[in-house]
Amino acid sequence: MAEVTRWSREQVIAAAPDASSVSAAQKLARPGPWSQAGANDLLVWGQCQGSGKNPYQVSVDLAEPAYRCSCPSRKFPCKHALALLLLWADGHVDSAEALADFAQAWADQRVTRAEASARRASGREDGPVDPEAQAKRVASRIAKMDAGIEDLCVWLEDLARTGLAAARSQPYAFWDRAASRLVDAQLPGLADRVRALGSDALSRKDWEDHLVRHVGRLWLLAQSWRGRDDLTDDQQADLRAAVGWTTPTEQVRSGRTRSATWRVLGAHRSDDGPLQQQRTWLCADDGELALLLDTAGPGQALAVPQLAGSLVRAELAFYPGAAPRRALFVDQPTAAGSAGLTGTPIGAPSIRSALARVADEVSFTPWRDRHAMLLPGVAFSRTPGLIVDADGDALPLDGATDLERLLAVSGGRAAAAFGEWEAGAFRVLTVEIADAAGTRRVVPL
């Protein structure tokens, strides 16, 4: 098994849940409080003496990555796990053949859980499916969805007739009632879009352009559903996902799969009300993109993202739809070293060519909200917040991009940037830069 490349301090900091955890971890990132620390190809472990009698037992699985600490913190990773990783990144944790007892016990538990999950995924425990009953359920749902689409079309026509300025003056309940009817019609994806419109209408400065764009997209989705029989299989699959018809995990696992070494390009976390979402982009050597999508509700924690710039060896199962497709891990990924952004097959030589690729995707799936984009050899401008290529073409940076950190990391030098093109702006997720000595490093934002 390939040895895991030692993380940089930037990669450790990028894994932190917040700035306060980083600050607390840096105070503990010294050999004094630590005992029984060690590392092998997959794990880093150690005990950190806190204010109590017994030291905290800390273990980190570098491949997933995953974290375990006996402290009561609800943050993942906690300050102790971050401090241990900072020690390891600085070369203060020695390699060891034998794991500490607590680290071995945790590793065994993870193997047992993974095997149990694989057994559940490979077989059905609820008996055979009645095809006739299943067909009736599907027909009943489609009838409800058809009625909900017709109701949405009438609502959108009324919205256009009275004008978007009048719609903006409506209370949030106006939008919520329309969304609730879509939920009843089993169209939760469209309901989420309507609720977001209600919030955006009242809060965005560019509300006019935003409402026009997204009301138009709702109309396009509704008309596409009406004419779904004329769409390709991939387009129909994307349309079902957009309106909120989920594909069962068992069905995904029984569909197309691929084993490969995947390059982790970047990840982004967002909060949509009570729901948290995490998107992680992977790329194979031949340029096939895969999107891992994780969600967490109230009281739940998102999975720890794969580290940008790392390589993972894994089998992916792909959801139906047009490329780039959503995917999930069939088995536990294993670390396979590291790789930068430079040389990734999806890299576009210029902003103009990258936008041409986006145009091709939009022509096939016009309701897709965001598009992956890799731009080598670009610079960043503080005013008014632009990413600029060698031809002088520029894209606006979106509000979620930390421009100050981006400028500090790049130092004014050309960089490769991976991110998402959404709503007319570019969200930077990862940059690769070269220092004065020519050494390249990947920095997640």
Side-chain angles (χ1 to χ4, degrees), residues 17-218:
D18 51 44
S20 62
S21 297
V22 174
S23 177
Q26 289 172 334
K27 297 176 182 178
L28 294 172
R30 50 188 179 85
W34 292 90
S35 61
Q36 294 192 42
N40 62 18
D41 289 352
L42 293 177
L43 295 174
V44 180
W45 63 89
Q47 293 191 140
C48 183
Q49 185 63 54
S51 57
K53 178 181 178 181
N54 298 318
Y56 296 123
Q57 298 174 343
V58 189
S59 302
V60 180
D61 182 332
L62 300 167
E64 190 169 352
Y67 309 89
R68 193 266 177 187
C69 182
S70 59
C71 77
S73 173
R74 297 178 63 86
K75 295 182 179 181
F76 295 95
C78 68
K79 64 181 181 180
H80 304 104
L82 291 170
L84 178 61
L85 286 173
L86 287 172
L87 273 178
W88 177 61
D90 291 340
H92 297 311
V93 177
D94 295 331
S95 297
E97 292 294 331
L99 278 68
D101 291 343
F102 62 87
Q104 184 66 63
W106 183 63
D108 292 343
Q109 290 173 5
R110 288 178 57 75
V111 171
T112 300
R113 286 197 298 268
E115 291 174 346
S117 178
R119 287 195 299 270
R120 288 195 299 270
S122 63
R124 298 185 60 88
E125 300 177 0
D126 52 357
V129 174
D130 182 345
E132 184 177 351
Q134 186 179 47
K136 288 181 179 179
R137 288 194 296 270
V138 170
S140 175
R141 172 166 188 176
I142 290 177
K144 285 184 178 179
M145 296 170 74
D146 285 342
I149 290 292
E150 296 307 314
D151 180 62
L152 174 64
C153 287
V154 172
W155 184 79
L156 290 172
E157 288 170 350
D158 291 342
L159 199 68
R161 187 177 299 111
T162 57
L164 296 183
R168 187 175 188 253
S169 66
Q170 295 283 353
Y172 182 75
F174 166 79
W175 307 88
D176 191 55
R177 283 193 299 269
S180 296
R181 292 197 299 271
L182 291 169
V183 171
D184 293 340
Q186 299 192 19
L187 295 161
L190 298 183
D192 290 343
R193 290 174 182 264
V194 170
R195 286 198 174 99
L197 272 180
S199 298
D200 294 339
L202 299 173
S203 61
R204 292 180 68 109
K205 293 181 179 179
D206 61 342
W207 64 270
E208 303 100 323
D209 291 341
H210 186 79
L211 286 186
V212 168
R213 181 186 303 115
H214 288 279
V215 167
R217 187 166 293 177
L218 277 170

Side-chain angles (χ1 to χ4, degrees), residues 301-348:
L302 285 168
V304 177
Q306 301 293 323
L307 286 173
S310 65
L311 294 172
V312 294
R313 197 173 290 116
E315 182 180 6
L316 297 184
F318 289 87
Y319 284 76
R325 297 174 179 87
R326 182 184 171 189
L328 55 81
F329 285 125
V330 174
D331 51 15
Q332 190 75 11
T334 58
S338 61
L341 301 178
T342 304
T344 304
I346 67 162

